[in-house]
């Protein structure tokens, strides 16, 4: 581990001094960006873009009392911006992967899962919680009653309502409804 970077005040600094200081800060900034993005390559891109911004706009940061704090702030924002830009791209890539390289069954399974998840999310809060605890997490009714502070009868009633609501919502969708029973 090298010596920690020096604190920079608003005194004028040459381009060479600035690049040297940014070079000593880079490993810490990369660690910070990797923590935010979760990916080393994405973090490298975010840090490089942040350092480039700092170099290009070096005259604007002279009023900051700490170059390290400024760098950390800019890297933080760049990493967050990178995540925002990457999320839609990842969703598009996932859709492309499903449609291009997957079988029709995998695509249908993905669509079915998305439809079911959407139907569960639309349940009232109490029913959604109880349904998830019972059907997804595998809790027993008595355990759910203790967690929710409700009677076993109330748990059974909410489960019944949740299942009924899900059944009716899913039957309205063409892929779930048996032929001739679809709602229009």
């Amino acid at each position: 581990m090298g010596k920690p970077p020096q604190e920079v005040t608003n005194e004028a600094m040459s381009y060479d001094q600035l690049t040297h200081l940014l070079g000593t800060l880079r490993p810490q900034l990369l660690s910070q960006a990797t923590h935010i993005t979760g990916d080393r390559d994405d973090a490298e891109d975010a840090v490089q873009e942040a350092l480039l911004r700092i170099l290009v706009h070096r005259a604007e940061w002279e009023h900051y009392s700490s170059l390290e704090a400024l760098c950390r702030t800019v890297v933080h924002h760049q990493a967050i911006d990178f995540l925002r830009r990457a999320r839609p791209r990842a969703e598009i890539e996932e859709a492309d992967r499903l449609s291009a390289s997957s079988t029709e069954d995998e695509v249908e399974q993905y669509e079915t899962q998305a439809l079911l998840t959407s139907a569960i999310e639309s349940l009232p809060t109490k029913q959604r919680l109880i349904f998830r605890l019972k059907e997804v997490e595998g809790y027993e009714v008595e355990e759910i009653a203790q967690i929710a502070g409700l009677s076993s009868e109330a748990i059974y009633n909410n489960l019944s309502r949740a299942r009924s609501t899900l059944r009716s919502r899913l039957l309205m969708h063409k892929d779930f409804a048996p032929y001739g029973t679809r709602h229009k």
Side-chain angles (χ1 to χ4, degrees), residues 41-87:
D41 292 335
D42 294 344
E44 285 277 355
D45 292 343
V47 168
Q48 186 166 343
E49 199 169 317
L51 294 180
L52 182 61
R53 281 186 178 202
I54 290 168
L55 284 171
V56 169
H57 301 286
R58 69 182 182 268
E60 297 172 19
W61 60 262
E62 288 184 355
H63 67 278
Y64 285 88
S65 62
S66 168
L67 177 61
E68 183 177 355
L70 173 66
C71 289
R72 289 187 177 282
T73 301
V74 174
V75 165
H76 176 83
H77 290 290
Q78 285 300 128
I80 297 297
D81 287 347
F82 189 87
L83 285 177
R84 286 183 184 138
R85 288 188 310 258
R87 184 174 295 135

Side-chain angles (χ1 to χ4, degrees), residues 57-143:
H57 301 286
R58 69 182 182 268
E60 297 172 19
W61 60 262
E62 288 184 355
H63 67 278
Y64 285 88
S65 62
S66 168
L67 177 61
E68 183 177 355
L70 173 66
C71 289
R72 289 187 177 282
T73 301
V74 174
V75 165
H76 176 83
H77 290 290
Q78 285 300 128
I80 297 297
D81 287 347
F82 189 87
L83 285 177
R84 286 183 184 138
R85 288 188 310 258
R87 184 174 295 135
R89 185 180 73 223
E91 291 169 2
I92 290 169
E93 288 172 358
E94 177 68 11
D96 286 347
R97 186 190 66 77
L98 285 173
S99 63
S101 66
S102 299
T103 65
E104 284 185 34
D105 291 338
E106 288 173 321
V107 172
E108 188 174 311
Q109 182 180 9
Y110 176 80
E111 290 172 351
T112 300
Q113 182 64 38
L115 182 63
L116 183 58
T117 300
S118 175
I120 292 170
E121 289 299 316
S122 70
L123 289 171
T125 304
K126 189 186 305 181
Q127 289 179 19
R128 182 175 59 238
L129 172 68
I130 292 170
F131 182 84
R132 280 188 178 155
L133 287 173
K134 176 69 174 143
E135 302 300 338
V136 177
E137 301 294 329
Y139 283 86
E140 296 297 323
V141 170
E142 295 76 25
E143 294 173 307

Side-chain angles (χ1 to χ4, degrees), residues 11-35:
E11 63 188 61
M13 177 183 285
S14 75
Y15 182 81
D16 289 339
Q17 289 172 319
L18 177 60
T19 56
H20 175 72
L21 184 61
L22 292 177
T24 60
L25 287 172
R26 195 172 203 297
Q28 296 168 4
L29 299 173
L30 185 58
S31 175
Q32 174 188 357
T34 302
H35 179 73

